[in-house]
Amino acid sequence: MRELVVEADGGSRGNPGPAGYGAVVLDPATGETLAEAAEYIGVATNNVAEYKGLIAGLRAALDLAPDATVRVRMDSKLVVEQMSGRWKIKHPDMKPLAAEAARAFPSDRVRYEWIPRERNKHADRLANEAMDAGKRGEQWAPRDTAAARNAAAPPPSGPPGDARAGAARAREALAAASPTSSTAPAPASAEAPAPADRAPAAPADRTPAAATAASPAVVPGRVAAAPGRVAAAPPPDLSAPATFVLLRHGETALTPEKRFSGSGGSDPELSEAGRRQAAAVADALAARGTIQHIVSSPLVRCRQTAEAVAARLGLDVVVEPGLRETDFGAWEGLTFAEVRERYPDDMDAWLASAKAAPTGGGESFTAVARRVAAARDRLADAHAGRTVLLVSHVTPIKTLVRLALGAPPESLFKMELSAASLSAVAYYADGNASVRLLNDTSHLRR
């Protein structure tokens, strides 16, 4: 079923005073403006104008795609909460407007999200244009379609969740590329090389997306040829990617003690600190307003984190078993030092090779990579062009990042991934992947 985004706003210069509304219907995958509506409504309050903007946006969506689902985004907390059924409608002027909005589009296919004012600039601009037209004694008329589309598409803002940023950067790279461009050597690593006995990446870990990302730096749209020559190749796929915003679950009682906590242990729930972290990340993601679906590991700590975000965004949580943490076997619940003391040979083997499993029948990193890559492929196919929050654990998230970069398994030990941190990876239809963010914890410091 097709989804549309409606952004609406209304304003009054005096409250009550000369008022107008604006609404825009967007394609959520591309950000393209599909329809605009605005009107000067005479003297009214802000709330009346906002409701009228909502009604106009829903009617425009109905005209475009009567069978679609609609995601309404507004910076009016009052309208969002009242239309979501969480706040009672007490003011007599609001009740008929809310009823009209409920009739404008089938309510079982509409959900509401609050967004900050700065993210509602398109609808706000339309409302102000309508009020300006009213001041001149005129009614608002739409501008040139191309100009409206350009005004509606914000510049790429980066992750998490902006599915347009990677494609826009690729277009810029294509525009800047010259026919004589050639491959450039990768910069030397600032870190010391891994020990010689570390196992290189196993072929099974090199899925198509990883293999593409691991190729030498080549001008986009070209492939390596004989020395001194550059051969033409099909251009990269620049359609909107599947963007995975990767959220590590909040803290449990085991997290501060840095104990192994995988899928074969006690399955702990979030601690009080972990619940606060989940609430903080939910607020941050709600402010961004880009998450369209939520998928979680089946383990309790992830589901609790995912449900905190889902409640804030008004979304459902789908469980994906492939996102569960590594089974650490006999190491579950132990610290690194305790494992080193009790199972020194097994620990050395595990650190040296991705194929080595923890003591007692746990999972190797190679096995985890296969499982995670299969889940990634299923989810990327199912959510092409959309932004999905994946709530998972240290190893699966690091594995998604390393596969996107084409990095060897030992890179897992060189990434920091804090509790309740956000990372992001975008996956394009041609197999290319773009790491957008790693271990962002800024939302926990506010």
Side-chain angles (χ1 to χ4, degrees), residues 97-438:
L97 291 170
E100 188 176 356
R103 294 191 299 269
F105 200 100
S107 57
D108 61 333
R109 288 189 273 123
V110 181
R111 55 189 174 86
Y112 292 84
E113 298 176 15
W114 176 85
I115 57 175
R117 187 173 182 82
E118 60 268 19
R119 291 187 56 82
N120 203 27
K121 291 181 179 179
H122 191 163
D124 177 73
R125 171 178 60 76
L126 294 175
N128 277 286
E129 287 180 3
M131 286 184 277
D132 290 342
K135 187 176 180 180
R136 298 190 302 268
E138 304 170 356
Q139 275 296 346
W140 175 86
R143 297 186 299 169
D144 173 76
T145 303
R149 184 176 294 118
N150 290 337
S157 58
D162 188 348
R164 293 185 297 275
R169 282 195 293 271
R171 291 187 189 98
E172 292 168 1
L174 281 169
S178 74
T180 57
S181 297
S182 59
T183 60
S189 170
E191 298 194 54
D197 60 348
R198 289 283 178 88
D205 292 339
R206 298 292 185 158
T207 56
T212 302
S215 301
V218 181
V219 176
R222 301 190 180 276
V223 295
R229 299 181 62 189
V230 179
D237 189 310
L238 297 180
S239 58
T243 301
F244 292 170
V245 179
L246 309 173
L247 170 60
R248 185 190 170 194
H249 61 80
E251 286 188 9
T252 72
L254 301 180
T255 308
E257 299 178 7
K258 298 187 181 298
R259 295 184 178 274
F260 283 93
S261 181
S263 56
S266 58
D267 196 10
E269 62 180 19
L270 294 180
S271 63
E272 183 60 36
R275 287 190 286 272
R276 289 195 300 270
Q277 291 169 339
V281 77
D283 287 343
L285 292 171
R288 286 184 176 271
T290 53
I291 300 300
Q292 296 168 281
H293 304 277
I294 300 177
V295 180
S296 174
S297 154
L299 300 184
V300 169
R301 53 198 182 272
C302 282
R303 287 191 285 109
Q304 289 177 330
T305 303
E307 285 160 6
V309 178
R312 185 72 173 80
L313 301 186
L315 298 174
D316 296 324
V317 177
V318 175
V319 172
E320 168 54 64
L323 297 179
R324 68 185 183 277
E325 181 58 288
T326 308
D327 183 344
F328 290 111
W331 301 355
E332 295 278 358
L334 302 179
T335 65
F336 192 92
E338 288 169 343
V339 173
R340 168 68 75 188
E341 180 181 355
R342 299 183 194 184
Y343 310 103
D345 293 341
D346 291 349
M347 173 64 78
D348 288 343
W350 183 70
L351 292 173
S353 172
K355 297 179 181 179
T359 309
E363 285 182 290
S364 69
F365 284 147
T366 297
V368 173
R370 290 194 187 101
R371 164 165 59 83
V372 169
R376 174 204 63 197
D377 292 345
R378 287 193 299 272
L379 293 169
D381 289 344
H383 299 290
R386 305 177 74 75
T387 301
V388 186
L389 180 70
L390 305 189
V391 186
S392 190
H393 310 261
V394 170
T395 310
I397 293 175
K398 286 185 177 182
T399 297
L400 287 168
V401 171
R402 93 156 177 87
L403 290 176
L405 294 173
E410 58 262 30
S411 64
L412 297 177
F413 298 111
K414 298 183 179 183
M415 298 183 215
E416 177 67 24
L417 202 70
S418 305
S421 63
L422 289 168
S423 304
V425 181
Y427 299 95
Y428 294 86
D430 60 5
N432 280 295
S434 172
V435 176
R436 305 279 189 85
L437 188 73
L438 181 66

